[in-house]
Amino acid sequence: AQSVSQHNHHVILSEAASLELGCNYSYGGTVNLFWYVQYPGQHLQLLLKYFSGDPLVKGIKGFEAEFIKSKFSFNLRKPSVQWSDTAEYFCAVTPSNDYKLSFGAGTTVTVRA
Amino acid sequence: GAGVSQSPSNKVTEKGKDVELRCDPISGHTALYWYRQSLGQGLEFLIYFQGNSAPDKSGLPSDRFSAERTGGSVSTLTIQRTQQEDSAVYLCASTLMGLMGTGELFFGEGSRLTVL
């Protein structure tokens, strides 16, 4: 079974700082990769996804993620965070042509104004 | 409805009681998932429905847990003889055809269960 590791449990930043959240997965085959975000008091929603093609994917709100197959990684980045980016971020993976989405433990990001 | 609806949003129960959690997926979504989110943990997969069938129940923690889906729509997760370790947020998600389609799960706001 695949597993997903998120390196940081809690990240605290100031506004305008750059953000990078690490995500590694363990699965030897082809995968589909996702980042989901949960803003305070809201439901989980999709931030971005990678199925195939350009390994650098862009999502909503200025976020991007890079798939590095050789490193089994799918790190999330944002060049300049805003206070409104305060949220919990989850990396998720599923083998291609599978239905089960496995999530990491999540990273809480706190952005100080 | 516009989104995935879950009820109750909050449930406090005594150890040993049974609870039912309900999920109304987005209309037309054939795939439905239940996950459990415990404090400091990721989302733990519980069960997956395609239509009314559950091809994968492997995530259900014990035989105290069961789930059904009727009419290809509403799903109910039942926990019998609740234990304190069942305390968590239970999340329901739906998607149009499954992850091989758009790849996006639409989540409800969850049902927070507290077992005293």
Side-chain angles (χ1 to χ4, degrees):
Chain A
Q2 64 274 15
S3 68
V4 184
S5 298
Q6 293 185 238
H7 311 303
N8 309 99
H9 180 63
H10 194 178
V11 173
I12 302 173
L13 302 164
S14 297
E15 276 194 311
S18 64
L19 172 70
E20 180 160 3
L21 303 181
C23 172
N24 286 88
Y25 65 92
S26 64
Y27 181 74
T30 306
V31 293
N32 298 330
L33 298 153
F34 306 81
W35 278 96
Y36 278 80
V37 60
Q38 188 170 27
Y39 297 103
Q42 296 187 27
H43 58 271
L44 273 160
Q45 57 188 284
L46 183 67
L47 198 55
L48 48 77
K49 63 186 178 184
Y50 173 80
F51 273 29
S52 64
D54 188 344
L56 184 64
V57 292
K58 296 193 183 298
I60 59 172
K61 305 189 180 185
F63 284 90
E64 64 179 30
E66 184 175 14
F67 171 47
I68 303 180
K69 189 174 180 179
S70 61
K71 295 185 178 180
F72 298 89
S73 71
F74 190 55
N75 292 355
L76 181 71
R77 298 192 292 251
K78 184 169 184 178
S80 176
V81 295
Q82 300 173 312
W83 176 81
S84 58
D85 293 323
T86 294
E88 191 160 17
Y89 293 81
F90 294 89
C91 182
V93 61
T94 181
S96 299
N97 299 320
D98 199 347
Y99 57 83
K100 186 187 289 188
L101 194 57
S102 298
F103 285 83
T107 298
T108 301
V109 173
T110 301
V111 180
R112 290 188 270 199
Chain B
V4 177
S5 177
Q6 292 187 247
S7 61
S9 55
N10 217 337
K11 175 73 176 179
V12 180
T13 191
E14 293 179 349
K15 179 181 169 181
K17 300 282 189 186
D18 297 352
V19 295
E20 277 191 359
L21 307 176
R22 176 187 167 106
C23 173
D24 272 289
I26 293 172
S27 178
H29 281 193
T30 60
L32 185 146
Y33 296 73
W34 284 97
Y35 283 87
R36 179 167 72 173
Q37 185 178 18
S38 304
L39 193 63
Q41 311 278 325
L43 275 69
E44 177 189 1
F45 170 83
L46 297 179
I47 190 169
Y48 158 74
F49 287 92
Q50 183 59 248
N52 291 337
S53 302
D56 189 347
K57 304 179 183 179
S58 63
L60 294 176
S62 74
D63 59 8
R64 295 186 295 105
F65 287 71
S66 63
E68 65 174 15
R69 189 178 185 195
T70 55
S73 180
V74 171
S75 177
T76 303
L77 177 68
T78 302
I79 310 172
Q80 295 179 309
R81 305 181 302 283
T82 52
Q83 303 294 313
Q84 287 182 332
E85 60 262 29
D86 299 333
S87 297
V89 177
Y90 290 82
L91 293 170
C92 178
S94 70
T95 187
L96 187 58
M97 291 191 305
L99 290 174
M100 293 78 81
T102 66
E104 179 173 2
L105 289 184
F106 293 84
F107 283 87
E109 297 201 4
S111 291
R112 181 177 296 278
L113 175 65
T114 303
V115 182
L116 301 176

